[in-house]
């Protein structure tokens, strides 16, 4: 689905980082939102209760897998690189 095809009223799930004060760690939480408005480069989403509104950019939607980019832009993306490497070794 592209951004133009994303309907208002669509329920989407977004990964968010949340800091836990007790443990001092950051964890990822998946929250559900509803698209309430669309603009050329971002959309406004509401929480399930309607109490929290938030603006999401196109990049946020692409990263969370809600929308896809055009085929020529997807081709520019690099393949994932392993993050484990030893000191002194070049990354592949």
């Amino acid at each position: 689905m592209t951004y133009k095809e994303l309907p208002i009223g669509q329920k989407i799930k977004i990964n968010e980082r949340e800091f836990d004060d007790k443990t001092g760690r950051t964890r990822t939480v998946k929250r559900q939102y509803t698209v309430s408005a669309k603009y050329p480069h971002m959309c406004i989403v509401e929480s399930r209760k309607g109490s929290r509104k938030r603006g999401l950019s196109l990049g946020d939607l692409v990263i969370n897998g809600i929308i896809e980019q055009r085929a020529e832009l997807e081709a520019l993306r690099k393949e994932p690189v392993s993050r484990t490497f030893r000191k002194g070794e070049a990354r592949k």
Side-chain angles (χ1 to χ4, degrees):
M1 168 181 359
T2 62
Y3 184 67
K4 289 182 182 180
E5 298 169 351
L6 182 68
I8 294 177
Q10 172 84 26
K11 294 186 187 291
I12 58 175
K13 291 185 179 180
I14 301 291
N15 288 328
E16 293 182 344
R17 290 187 179 192
E18 184 177 89
F19 183 74
D20 189 8
D21 290 332
K22 295 178 183 175
T23 61
R25 296 184 179 206
T26 303
R27 63 182 183 155
T28 303
V29 179
K30 189 169 265 198
R31 294 207 170 105
Q32 185 173 359
Y33 291 99
T34 305
V35 177
S36 61
K38 284 176 52 176
Y39 297 101
H41 300 288
M42 69 176 291
C43 67
I44 304 296
V45 293
E46 291 182 4
S47 64
R48 285 189 286 174
K49 297 176 184 176
S51 60
R52 182 173 181 214
K53 291 187 179 180
R54 178 174 174 206
L56 293 176
S57 67
L58 293 179
D60 292 332
L61 297 174
V62 170
I63 288 172
N64 285 292
I66 308 298
I67 63 171
E68 294 178 358
Q69 298 177 4
R70 298 186 313 245
E72 59 268 13
L73 295 177
E74 281 292 327
L76 294 175
R77 294 177 83 179
K78 297 189 304 187
E79 292 184 17
V81 177
S82 173
R83 293 182 184 251
T84 59
F85 67 96
R86 292 196 175 104
K87 189 175 182 179
E89 290 182 9
R91 290 186 182 191
K92 296 180 181 179

